[in-house]
């Protein structure tokens, strides 16, 4: 199954994709995580991406499309994948459709996680992530048992450099202008499903399961 998780910054795409990936045994492909990994590697591409990301702007389409083409062409993607944070512009969505159509494939479902805009700033400025395993936490909504340390692996927590208030405001503006038009794009293709992201993370996951026709209540 080829699934896209759509939604504004802080909607819970990464949180839900982590859970879905374990339940559906599909790779979680986050362009944001991939770019942060390149940034950490000291490669020139990482420096280039960092300049855009820290300002809350989108990285150019050609860079992102090269990364995605390579990633979805790998053997672990044969049965499908979960795309988180991609596509984010109309040219990216069109290029993805063309890439898939070349192999007689298509996106099965686009899950649009909706959260009122006024909640997103708090979600993002309170977010912390594990440096080691990537688990996502929130200072108020999903705190760790020991402050500063990951419950899953004991790794140290960090705050993303683009989760400061100024970058978040810019990211939300960029979302409205460049990414929100994808809702109409996928509605036209009849692949779009709306998900209420303004409920506890576990409840969001159950709603995703219902929409995908899977009963996770008993798990
Ligand atoms: P990316 O890393 O994709 O960031 P984003 O889209 O801005 O989304 P976030 O990761 O901030 O939010 P999320 O929806 O994953 O929420 P999360 O689950 O963490 O991209 C970063 C940058 O990379 C971009 O700005 C751009 O520069 C570049 N980039 C990436 N992809 C690109 C592309 N395709 N094209 C061009 N540039 C690209 O949750 C957020 C917080 O809320 C957490 O603390 C979590 O614990 C909490 N939370 C989650 N769910 C709930 C809930 N139900 N209730 C309460 N709290 C919750
Ligand atoms: Mg994310």
């Amino acid at each position: 199954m080829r699934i896209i998780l759509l939604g504004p910054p802080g909607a819970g795409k990464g949180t839900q994709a982590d859970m879905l990936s374990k339940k559906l045994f599909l790779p979680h492909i986050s362009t944001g995580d991939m770019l942060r990994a390149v940034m950490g590697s000291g490669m020139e591409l990482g420096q280039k991406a960092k300049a855009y990301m820290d300002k809350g702007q989108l990285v150019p389409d050609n860079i992102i499309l090269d990364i995605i083409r390579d990633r979805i062409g790998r053997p672990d993607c044969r049965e499908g994948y979960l795309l988180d944070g991609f596509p984010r512009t109309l040219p990216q969505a069109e290029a993805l459709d063309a890439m898939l159509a070349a192999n007689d494939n298509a996106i099965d479902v686009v899950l649009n996680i909706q959260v009122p805009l006024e909640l997103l700033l708090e979600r993002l400025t309170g977010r912390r992530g594990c440096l080691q395993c990537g688990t996502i936490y929130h200072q108020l909504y999903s705190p760790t048992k020991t402050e500063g340390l990951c419950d899953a692996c004991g790794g140290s927590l960090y705050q993303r450099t683009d989760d400061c208030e100024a970058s978040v405001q810019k990211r939300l503006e960029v979302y409205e202008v460049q990414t929100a038009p994808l809702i109409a794009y996928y509605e036209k293709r009849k692949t779009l499903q709306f998900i209420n992201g303004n409920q506890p993370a576990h409840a969001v996951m159950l709603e995703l399961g219902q929409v995908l026709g899977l009963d996770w209540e008993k798990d």
Side-chain angles (χ1 to χ4, degrees):
M1 199 186 271
R2 294 175 188 82
I3 300 174
I4 293 175
L5 286 156
L6 196 63
K13 302 181 295 295
T15 302
Q16 295 303 324
D18 276 346
M19 294 196 268
L20 277 181
S21 161
K22 289 184 190 113
K23 290 205 173 273
L24 299 175
F25 304 103
L26 291 176
H28 169 192
I29 300 178
S30 156
T31 39
D33 287 348
M34 289 162 87
L35 290 167
R36 281 183 287 278
V38 181
M39 265 159 60
S41 72
M43 284 162 66
E44 197 191 324
L45 173 63
Q47 294 312 306
K48 210 171 166 185
K50 185 173 167 42
Y52 292 100
M53 291 167 78
D54 281 351
K55 281 188 254 164
Q57 295 168 350
L58 294 185
V59 173
D61 288 340
N62 60 328
I63 295 180
I64 298 291
L65 288 168
D66 284 349
I67 292 175
I68 281 290
R69 199 174 291 110
D70 171 70
R71 183 65 189 90
I72 65 175
R74 293 195 201 162
D76 66 330
C77 288
R78 257 185 229 137
E79 301 301 317
Y81 37 76
L82 291 155
L83 293 173
D84 157 13
F86 175 87
R88 259 174 140 99
T89 63
L90 285 171
Q92 288 181 17
E94 286 159 359
L96 174 65
D97 281 348
M99 258 182 242
L100 293 174
N103 293 310
D104 282 332
N105 288 326
I107 291 296
D108 296 294
V109 62
V110 179
L111 302 165
N112 183 35
I113 306 179
Q114 296 180 293
V115 176
L117 223 59
E118 62 273 16
L119 300 182
L120 299 173
L121 178 65
E122 191 198 28
R123 280 202 186 183
L124 290 169
T125 51
R127 172 168 54 191
R128 297 294 180 271
C130 175
L131 267 176
Q132 214 159 282
C133 71
T135 302
I136 303 166
Y137 297 95
H138 190 278
Q139 285 184 314
L140 294 177
Y141 305 124
S142 51
T144 51
K145 291 189 186 98
T146 309
E147 205 188 324
L149 293 181
C150 176
D151 290 346
C153 74
S156 302
L157 299 192
Y158 80 108
Q159 185 173 22
R160 272 171 46 178
T161 48
D162 61 348
D163 276 349
C164 63
E165 198 169 330
S167 293
V168 169
Q169 296 295 3
K170 181 69 190 169
R171 283 159 62 201
L172 293 173
E173 279 169 38
V174 166
Y175 167 79
E176 284 299 335
V177 176
Q178 293 185 263
T179 308
L182 294 184
I183 297 171
Y185 180 88
Y186 287 115
E187 220 163 14
K188 230 184 250 170
R189 282 157 185 75
K190 309 226 181 296
T191 43
L192 194 72
Q193 296 283 350
F194 291 94
I195 306 293
N196 175 14
N198 186 18
Q199 50 184 336
H202 186 73
V204 178
M205 196 202 63
L206 292 180
E207 189 175 326
L208 288 172
Q210 271 173 7
V211 163
L212 295 173
L214 305 163
D215 183 10
W216 289 333
E217 294 275 1
K218 297 178 207 87
D219 290 10

